[in-house]
Amino acid sequence: MKNLNPIFNEITNKKISNPRTNKQQRQNSKKRFDSRHDMKFPVSHRHHQLLRSYFKIHRQSNPTIITSQTIFNTILLRHSILHPQIVSLDREYKDTKRYFHCKPNQIEYTYIGGVQGIAIKEGISERQALYHMMISAIEHIESGGTIDHEAFKQIRPSK
């Protein structure tokens, strides 16, 4: 059947790509290592105050790197990943309904919820593992520890 409009004749002669195949190709493609996972963890009123105050202190010394509370929390998470000896899992997890966020990249996320991550090794949820890592980092700073400058850099895949 021939259409009156010649544009429609050209469309019927050409193959139009199926949009579903493009979606399938995107799903099969490899994820970028720097894509982020938005994770949240509960904090008590005391930990909320400590995180806010540490953020303000560190923002003054590194204003170009630490621009938000979430970025500072992610740096603290990296610090606890780089120093697993400071992470303590023997505290009680309490969901206080008051949350802070952090955004680890793909590589950092595997340390928390990946196949060999803390959550699977210890049999706890990813949020509980993140909670223990963040509270351990807060306690490390509170006891006089410092954040090393390696924690300011993203953890990258080995080449």
Side-chain angles (χ1 to χ4, degrees):
M1 181 172 174
K2 203 170 190 178
N3 290 316
L4 295 176
N5 192 337
I7 293 176
F8 291 119
N9 287 332
E10 291 176 16
I11 291 175
T12 56
N13 292 339
K14 293 181 183 177
K15 280 190 173 181
I16 301 172
S17 66
N18 189 353
R20 289 183 184 166
T21 57
N22 292 338
K23 286 182 183 178
Q24 289 171 349
Q25 288 172 352
R26 270 189 260 133
Q27 289 174 350
N28 294 336
S29 65
K30 194 174 179 181
K31 254 191 160 182
R32 291 174 52 113
F33 86 92
D34 58 350
S35 65
R36 304 272 178 205
H37 284 268
D38 186 17
M39 301 180 77
K40 62 182 182 179
F41 58 97
V43 291
S44 64
H45 180 68
R46 180 176 159 271
H47 289 131
H48 185 272
Q49 288 177 331
L50 285 172
L51 277 170
R52 296 274 311 214
S53 63
Y54 292 148
F55 161 65
K56 291 189 182 227
I57 291 168
H58 283 84
R59 185 175 61 179
Q60 289 174 352
S61 61
N62 298 306
T64 58
I65 298 171
I66 303 174
T67 57
S68 70
Q69 182 73 51
T70 303
I71 291 172
F72 177 72
N73 295 342
T74 306
I75 289 170
L76 274 182
L77 175 65
R78 281 187 201 132
H79 181 71
S80 62
I81 289 171
L82 293 172
H83 302 284
Q85 69 273 10
I86 68 169
V87 177
S88 171
L89 300 171
D90 58 351
R91 70 180 52 81
E92 185 182 348
Y93 173 79
K94 294 178 187 174
D95 192 358
T96 59
K97 306 294 183 202
R98 187 177 197 178
Y99 301 102
F100 265 133
H101 290 258
C102 71
K103 293 187 177 183
N105 67 21
Q106 287 291 109
I107 307 298
E108 295 159 353
Y109 175 75
T110 58
Y111 288 100
I112 303 165
V115 177
Q116 297 295 322
I118 291 176
I120 291 179
K121 284 182 184 175
E122 300 298 325
I124 56 179
S125 69
E126 292 175 6
R127 187 175 289 181
Q128 288 175 343
L130 178 64
Y131 169 81
H132 291 300
M133 293 174 83
M134 293 301 293
I135 300 303
S136 296
I138 293 169
E139 290 172 354
H140 175 72
I141 293 173
E142 197 174 18
S143 66
T146 59
I147 302 173
D148 59 351
H149 285 285
E150 288 298 314
F152 287 93
K153 301 174 188 170
Q154 285 187 36
I155 299 175
R156 297 181 167 272
S158 58
K159 291 183 179 182

